[in-house]
Amino acid sequence: MEDESPLSQGVGVKVLEATLLSALKMLDVGKWPIFSLCSPEELKLIRQACVFGSAGNEVLYATENDEVFVLGMNCSGCLGTGDMQSTIEPRRLDSLCGKKIACLSYGSGPHVVLATEEGEVYTWGHNAYSQLGNGTTNHGFVPCQVSTNLVNKKVIEVACGSHHSMVLTSDGEVYTWGYNNSGQVGSGSTANQPIPRRVTSCLQNKIAVNIACGQMCSMAVVENGEVYVWGYNGNGQLGLGSSGNQPTPCRIAALQGIRIQRVACGYAHTLVLTDEGQIYAWGANSYGQLEPDDHLTVAQSLKKEFDNPETADLKFLVDGKYIHVHKVLLKIRCEHFRSILNNDDEIIEMSEFSYPVYRAFLEYLYTDNIRLPPEDAIGLLDLATLYRENRLKKLCQQTIKQGICEENAIALLSAAVKYEAQDLEEFCFRFCINHLTVVTQTQGFAEMDHDLLKNFISKASRVGAFRN
């Protein structure tokens, strides 16, 4: 299996986004644009929060009195509100209110697994492979407790693969369920597992202290510092020195004599932390996951493509100059190019876009990231829309959200409307409403398109923005 970007899959990097953040008032929530939808009064009450979703545009948070709310996009049903409606207003999850949240994990399927401080487990989201652990394949749009085989067990840690789930109990037992095409539930077969079952085999008499899931693999650290792995291994992410799948837990022999404290999984790579503070990594490395300095190699190779056009096999005409990138990379990364690239001499004229925008597009194809100001991100959003590159559109919207201010809010709102970016449009509109006095005094508001102005005033009126 080809290694995809962790960011595009919601596994691995999502360990960061789906980690429960405590003492939120001590954190800089500005890096999470979703919190801009909350009023200052609402932010003051937040005690814990978890940002998740493919673009960090969904959030679950608990208040100081243990009420639980969700907010954001809900196209996957992972907000747990019982419907598929997105919301820019916090919605309360009554089934979780009053329960202290201990941990939460988000699987890119997508689904959510949550544990309370009492050790109860709740799941919701997509369930085509029984990843919710309720014995069915029916999707669950509200949090439901998972009790089968977990009665009298206190769960202290949860982890999600793309379509399977895993929990760790206080007595060191590991339970798994869900999709099992590569042996990721550790049962010894490849049959899907509809309910939680304890992982035994080599873990039978071991006490686990930490767990983690990759897209289709699972791992556990036991109390003596050994690491056991199972599931998909096509990129060597199990660290066994081979690329064969492993249907039951197997100890990583290469770590003999090294005491591991924690393990973390990306989409197709793995990292562990030793008791001496060292980090070991293995698995896929196509994005420089395994070496801290590999981003320099990526940047150098990108520069080489710009500086040495004869080394590339695809030509782009930008502002009268040819820029070259690898045709194979474009075929892999951009759906639109798959349908239009038929020969090595294909030339695509993109002169309507500025050089910074176009270069940012090429850099995205190499690195999965974009680095440009929000004003240029509007042009990149246009380019992403043209080539139907949905993940890039999401990154552009994130960049625009992070760079919004009173002076550019109207321009960004106009761009969101133009490119039919509904999530961004709602975000910009809410920002304008929250800063209405200042925004209406800007040059952008004075030069606002007539139809956009008319719609803005009408919508603002409906949400009560002009009430005294």
Side-chain angles (χ1 to χ4, degrees), residues 195-226:
I195 58 175
R197 294 192 183 280
R198 186 183 173 192
V199 181
T200 54
S201 185
C202 292
L203 290 181
Q204 178 70 51
N205 299 313
K206 303 286 186 179
I207 297 177
V209 295
N210 176 231
I211 58 173
C213 288
Q215 189 218 18
M216 294 190 298
C217 66
S218 307
M219 304 190 182
V221 180
V222 298
E223 62 178 351
N224 67 355
E226 295 176 340

Side-chain angles (χ1 to χ4, degrees), residues 83 87 127 144 205 269 278 287 311 319 391 398 427 459:
D83 54 41
T87 176
N127 194 35
C144 289
N205 299 313
H269 73 289
Q278 296 175 321
Y287 296 90
T311 65
D319 296 335
R391 184 178 174 275
Q398 283 182 270
F427 176 88
K459 188 174 180 180

Side-chain angles (χ1 to χ4, degrees), residues 27-280:
L27 301 174
D28 177 16
V29 298
K31 66 180 180 179
W32 304 110
I34 187 68
F35 285 109
S36 296
L37 297 176
C38 296
S39 68
E41 292 73 20
E42 291 166 338
L43 289 176
K44 290 179 182 178
L45 297 176
I46 296 176
R47 179 173 58 85
Q48 296 172 303
C50 176
V51 178
F52 55 95
S54 60
N57 55 9
E58 299 171 69
V59 64
L60 178 149
Y61 67 84
T63 64
E64 293 177 345
N65 59 355
D66 290 319
E67 288 189 311
V68 178
F69 294 87
V70 290
L71 176 67
M73 296 293 293
N74 195 30
C75 55
S76 63
C78 280
L79 288 187
T81 55
D83 54 41
M84 300 282 284
Q85 299 298 313
S86 301
T87 176
I88 61 172
E89 298 288 345
R91 291 181 62 177
R92 188 171 123 149
L93 292 186
D94 291 331
S95 59
L96 295 179
C97 287
K99 300 181 182 294
K100 296 183 182 297
I101 301 173
C103 52
L104 182 152
S105 184
Y106 171 86
S108 62
H111 71 291
V112 178
V113 179
L114 175 150
T116 69
E117 290 187 4
E118 294 296 319
E120 299 173 335
V121 177
Y122 290 82
T123 62
W124 64 95
H126 281 213
N127 194 35
Y129 300 95
S130 299
Q131 57 262 49
L132 300 188
N134 57 20
T136 76
T137 54
N138 301 323
H139 300 324
F141 298 118
V142 295
C144 289
Q145 185 176 355
V146 179
S147 56
T148 305
N149 291 338
L150 294 179
V151 175
N152 300 322
K153 295 292 181 180
K154 181 179 180 179
V155 170
I156 59 173
E157 191 172 354
V158 299
C160 291
S162 60
H163 299 87
H164 75 288
S165 307
M166 179 163 58
V167 298
L168 172 65
T169 68
S170 59
D171 52 4
E173 296 177 347
V174 176
Y175 289 78
T176 59
W177 61 90
Y179 196 34
N180 192 37
N181 69 326
S182 301
Q184 55 263 51
V185 303
S187 62
S189 75
T190 55
N192 295 344
Q193 195 155 281
I195 58 175
R197 294 192 183 280
R198 186 183 173 192
V199 181
T200 54
S201 185
C202 292
L203 290 181
Q204 178 70 51
N205 299 313
K206 303 286 186 179
I207 297 177
V209 295
N210 176 231
I211 58 173
C213 288
Q215 189 218 18
M216 294 190 298
C217 66
S218 307
M219 304 190 182
V221 180
V222 298
E223 62 178 351
N224 67 355
E226 295 176 340
V227 181
Y228 287 80
V229 296
W230 60 98
Y232 181 74
N233 192 35
N235 296 97
Q237 55 263 61
L238 298 188
L240 301 177
S242 67
S243 58
N245 296 346
Q246 177 65 36
T248 57
C250 181
R251 183 176 64 86
I252 299 180
L255 294 175
Q256 179 72 34
I258 301 173
R259 191 177 182 90
I260 302 302
Q261 289 189 330
R262 297 192 65 82
V263 60
C265 298
Y267 175 88
H269 73 289
T270 306
L271 299 97
V272 293
L273 174 67
T274 73
D275 60 350
E276 296 180 347
Q278 296 175 321
I279 295 176
Y280 288 79

Side-chain angles (χ1 to χ4, degrees), residues 19-32 47 49:
T19 298
L20 201 63
L21 305 175
S22 299
L24 184 61
K25 285 178 283 189
M26 299 175 62
L27 301 174
D28 177 16
V29 298
K31 66 180 180 179
W32 304 110
R47 179 173 58 85

